[in-house]
Amino acid sequence: PPTAPPAEPAAAEPAAAAPAPGYPETERAAVHRLMRDRRDVHHGFRSDPVPPEVLLRVLEAAHNAPSVGPAQPWDFVIIKAPETRNAIHELARRQRETYARSLSKARARQFRQLSVDAIRDTPVNIVVTADPTRGGRNTYGWHLQPQTTPYSSALAVENLWLAARAEGLGVGWIGFFDERELVHALGLPEHLEVVAYLCVGYVDSFPDEAEQGPGGWTHRRPLSWVVHEESYGRRALPGAEPHDLLSQTLAEIRPLDAQALGEAWERQKRMTKPAGSLGALEVISAQLCGLSRSCPPPVPEPAAVAVFAADHGVHAQGVTPWPQEVTGQMVANFLGGGAVCNAFAAQVGAEVCVIDVGVRDELPGMPGLIPRRVRSGTADLSVGPAMSREEALRAVEVGIEIARDLVAAGNRALLTGEMGIANTTPAAALVAAFTGAEAAEVTGRGCGIDDETHARKVDVVRRALQLHQPDPSDPLGVLAAVGGLEHAALTGLILGGAAQRVPVLLDGVSAGAAALAARAIAPEAVSVCVAGHRSAEPGHQAALTALGLRPMVDLDLRLGEGTGALLALPLVQSAARAMREVATFDSAGVTDKN
Ligand SMILES: Cc1cc2nc3c(=O)[nH]c(=O)nc-3n(C[C@H](O)[C@H](O)[C@H](O)COP(=O)(O)O)c2cc1C
C-alpha cells in the first residue's frame, strides 16, 4: 500500500524582521507641520521674483506625484508675462461676477473678500493640466474610471503646494474658470484638460487658518465626523470606541452660557433705549448671547432653510384633497426657485436646501436635490406603525447630518422647512402624543379641507393614538408610530443645531411637533429654538405653549416650506445687530432716566 511521504522537517521560523523604518521623529514632525501649515493664499503677495532653482525644486516635487498607469498625465505651463496674466485675470473676474450674482445676500457679502487678483499680484502663475490620451488604453482601470487622469494631476498639485510652502512660497488656487474658455485663452492643445490654475509668489506672512475659514466661508470638519469603522455610519477614530451619531450629538448639547446671558441683560439695560423697550426681541438677543457664549453675539448669517420632503401612508385615509404626487412636484418647484419659500428666502438672503428624506415617487435628474431617502413614504399610521424604530432613527440622523453640513458650510442660523402632502396629520398625532392633548384639539385643516374631511382627519388621529398608545418618554418610538420622515429629520436638525450652537428658527406645526420630540430626547435642545411664527393650525399653538416659545410673526400662514421661519429671520438678526451696534448711555454720553 502507498505510504505517506515522510514529513518535511519543519522549517525553522525566521526571526520576525522589524518592518521597514519610518522617518525619525523630527523629520516626521516636519512633514506633518508642512501639511498643517499649507495654506491657500490670495492676499499679501510680494513682487520678489521666484529664483529658477526654487521653482525647479517645487516642480520636481510635483513631478514626483503618484499617477494611474503611471501615465504622469500632467504638464506645467509657467506664465509670467503680465499681458497673459491680465487676460486670464479678466476671464476669471467675469466668471466670479456671474457666480456672485447667484449667491444669497449674506453669502455675497462674505464672498466679496474672495478675489481673483492673485493672478496679477503674483510673479508666477502655473497651469497644471491633465492629458487623458497619455498612457491611453494601456493604463489600468482607465476604462472604468477615466477621472483617475485628472485625479493624478491633482496629486501633483498637492505636491507642488506642499513643496512651495516649504520654500516660503504662497500658492493660491483660482477655480473661477470656464475650463474650455481657459484652454482656448492659453492656446493649449484641445485634448488637454486644465486641472488647476495656481498663483505663486513670496508673501508677507502665511495665514494661520484658512483664509475662507472661521468667520468666513466654511469650517474644517472634525476628523471624527468622517472616519467610519468597517461600515459607513459606524464612526470611530482609530483606537476609540465607535459612537453613534445621535448619542454623540446629545453629548455635545449644552445649556445656554450663563455668563453671556447675564452680560446680555446687563448690556440691554445700558443701551440707549428705555429698558425693556425692545420687548420680546430682548429675550432673543439674550438667547443669542447665551448660544454663542459671547456678548454681543454675532449676527446669525448666513442662514439656510432645510426643506425636508417626504410622503405619508395615511394619505390613503382621505385626510387631504391634494394628491400625493404633489410632494415630488413641489420638490422640483423648490429646486427651480418657483415656490413661496424661494421668494421669501431671496428676500431675506437665505439659502434653500431641499432634502428628499422619504418622497414616495422617484425623483430622477433633479440637480441640487440632496438625496437622503430613508424609505419611499411612510406606512399608514392609522393601521400600523408609520415606520420602524430603525427608520425613525435614520431619519433623525439625516437631520443631524444636514445641520452639521450646513453649519460646516458657514451657516450661522438654521431654519426648518418641510414639504409632505398629508403631513399635518402625523404632526397633529405627534403634538397630541407629546402634550397629551385630545385629537380634536390639535387637528387642523392643513392646506384647506372641508368639514367632512376634517372630521375624518380627527378620527384618523384619534384612532392612531388609540392603536399605538404612544409613550412620550420614548420619543423615537412616538416618531416611528405616528410621525413622518420629515418630522424625524426636523427633530435631528434641531438636535444638530443645538450641538453646533446655532439658532434654529422653527416654522409651523411640523416644526413644533419635531421640537417636542427633540425636547423629549434632549430638554436643552429647546434653548436654541426660536418660534418663527404661529400658524393657523391648532396643533401649532398647543406645541408652542408646551414648548414655552413665543412666536415672532402671527399672520395666519398655513403653508409650511419654512415660510414663517424665513419671515422671522430678519427679526432674529435685528436682535443680534441691536446688541452689536446700539450705543450704551455711557459710550454715547446720553443721560439715563432717573
Ligand atoms: C479644486 C479647488 C479649487 C479652488 N478654487 C479656489 C478659488 O477659485 N478661489 C479661492 O480663493 N480658493 C480656491 N481654492 C482654495 C480653497 O478655497 C482652500 O483650499 C480652502 O479654503 C482651504 O484653505 P487652505 O487650503 O488654506 O487650508 C480651491 C481649492 C481647490 C482644491
Side-chain angles (χ1 to χ4, degrees):
T3 51
E8 298 262 331
E13 284 275 321
Y23 286 179
E25 175 73 38
T26 48
E27 292 179 23
R28 220 166 48 225
V31 170
H32 284 281
R33 179 182 157 210
L34 177 60
M35 286 189 261
R36 268 196 316 274
D37 288 356
R38 182 210 52 76
R39 283 278 77 79
D40 177 57
V41 186
H42 290 265
H43 301 100
F45 282 107
R46 302 161 62 104
S47 55
D48 314 42
V50 181
E53 64 278 14
V54 175
L55 193 55
L56 187 61
R57 281 200 293 271
V58 169
L59 291 168
E60 275 166 354
H63 194 54
N64 271 328
S67 67
V68 63
Q72 304 157 74
W74 46 75
D75 281 274
F76 307 103
V77 183
I78 314 289
I79 296 174
K80 295 183 185 166
E83 320 75 85
T84 317
R85 286 189 289 122
N86 285 339
I88 300 301
H89 177 266
E90 181 53 23
L91 288 188
R93 193 193 58 74
R94 273 196 275 117
Q95 291 294 342
R96 184 188 173 283
E97 305 246 303
T98 309
Y99 177 64
R101 279 196 293 275
S102 74
L103 293 173
S104 69
K105 268 184 255 170
R107 285 288 188 184
R109 246 197 313 278
Q110 281 186 335
F111 180 69
R112 263 186 236 130
Q113 309 152 16
L114 294 190
S115 89
V116 293
D117 293 346
I119 299 172
R120 291 194 305 209
D121 297 346
T122 51
V124 181
N125 293 180
I126 303 178
V127 187
V128 183
T129 61
D131 180 350
T133 63
R134 205 173 288 171
R137 294 194 53 77
N138 299 324
T139 302
Y140 45 75
W142 184 74
H143 64 296
L144 292 174
Q145 291 205 37
Q147 67 276 34
T148 51
T149 300
Y151 290 172
S152 302
S153 293
L155 291 166
V157 173
E158 175 72 348
N159 276 13
L160 184 158
W161 214 333
L162 292 167
R165 176 63 187 85
E167 299 284 355
L169 285 169
V171 174
W173 184 324
I174 304 285
F176 284 102
F177 291 111
D178 172 324
E179 193 265 342
R180 283 296 97 185
E181 195 178 43
L182 188 57
V183 166
H184 295 153
L186 291 166
L188 297 173
E190 283 282 338
H191 67 278
L192 294 189
E193 296 167 19
V194 173
V195 170
Y197 193 97
L198 306 173
C199 309
V200 183
Y202 289 103
V203 286
D204 292 328
S205 65
F206 285 90
D208 291 337
E209 303 207 46
E211 285 187 359
Q212 297 150 39
W217 202 246
T218 58
H219 282 197
R220 278 230 178 252
R221 302 161 63 88
L223 182 62
S224 61
W225 291 7
V226 296
V227 181
H228 308 253
E229 189 185 84
E230 304 293 348
S231 57
Y232 186 90
R234 211 176 116 91
R235 289 177 173 79
L237 286 176
E241 284 300 306
H243 54 262
D244 73 87
L245 195 53
L246 179 57
S247 31
Q248 192 196 26
T249 304
L250 297 183
E252 288 166 359
I253 297 177
R254 297 269 180 286
L256 296 178
D257 184 71
Q259 188 181 339
L261 272 177
E263 282 170 23
W265 288 113
E266 266 312 303
R267 185 179 175 82
Q268 305 211 67
K269 280 189 220 150
R270 290 186 287 112
M271 281 158 60
T272 47
K273 61 174 188 59
S277 57
L278 287 181
L281 276 192
E282 297 197 8
V283 180
I284 304 291
S285 299
Q287 182 184 6
L288 294 173
C289 291
L291 251 183
S292 63
R293 299 191 174 104
S294 59
C295 178
V299 176
E301 63 178 12
V305 57
V307 183
F308 294 96
D311 276 305
H312 302 272
V314 72
H315 185 273
Q317 299 294 325
V319 289
T320 170
W322 294 87
Q324 265 188 308
E325 58 262 31
V326 171
T327 304
Q329 290 164 353
M330 281 304 290
V331 165
N333 197 17
F334 299 141
L335 294 168
V340 178
C341 70
N342 301 104
F344 286 5
Q347 179 58 35
V348 301
E351 182 188 346
V352 178
C353 299
V354 189
I355 306 104
D356 171 10
V357 68
V359 179
R360 183 198 62 176
D361 299 334
E362 287 309 311
L363 302 175
M366 290 206 185
L369 177 66
I370 302 177
R372 297 288 186 277
R373 187 177 295 194
V374 172
R375 55 180 280 171
S376 300
T378 51
D380 182 350
L381 58 86
S382 69
V383 296
M387 64 190 109
S388 70
R389 203 182 169 83
E390 166 63 18
E391 287 164 341
L393 175 62
R394 271 167 50 210
V396 169
E397 289 182 340
V398 166
I400 293 175
E401 289 200 323
I402 294 293
R404 280 183 166 187
D405 288 349
L406 288 174
V407 174
N411 289 293
R412 293 295 165 267
L414 301 179
L415 282 64
T416 72
E418 98 314 310
M419 174 69 216
I421 293 299
N423 75 5
T424 56
T425 300
L430 289 169
V431 173
F434 285 115
T435 63
E438 291 293 321
E441 290 171 59
V442 293
T443 307
R445 289 169 189 267
C447 277
I449 49 177
D450 57 21
D451 290 347
E452 188 191 331
T453 312
H454 182 238
R456 190 162 53 237
K457 186 171 167 183
V458 172
D459 184 54
V460 164
V461 173
R462 186 180 298 123
R463 279 193 284 121
L465 294 170
Q466 270 163 8
L467 173 69
H468 300 290
Q469 301 285 324
D471 171 5
S473 65
D474 172 24
L476 269 184
V478 177
L479 284 167
V482 299
L485 291 151
E486 69 274 53
H487 303 98
L490 287 170
T491 303
L493 187 85
I494 295 166
L495 295 171
Q500 300 292 313
R501 296 190 82 81
V502 294
V504 180
L505 276 69
L506 304 178
D507 192 37
V509 67
S510 288
L516 288 168
R519 185 181 65 167
I521 296 172
E524 291 296 346
V526 183
S527 66
V528 307
C529 294
V530 175
H533 81 129
R534 184 207 321 266
S535 87
E537 280 292 296
H540 192 208
Q541 180 56 56
L544 292 178
T545 305
L547 292 163
L549 293 177
R550 173 172 174 164
M552 301 270 94
V553 170
D554 191 356
L555 296 170
D556 293 335
L557 306 182
R558 47 184 175 81
L559 174 60
E561 303 178 5
T563 47
L566 283 162
L567 291 180
L569 178 63
L571 301 180
V572 175
Q573 291 170 333
S574 301
R577 194 169 285 276
M579 291 292 275
R580 299 179 66 80
E581 297 183 5
V582 174
T584 53
F585 285 108
D586 30 336
S587 75
V590 175
T591 311
D592 200 352
K593 76 169 195 238
N594 288 326

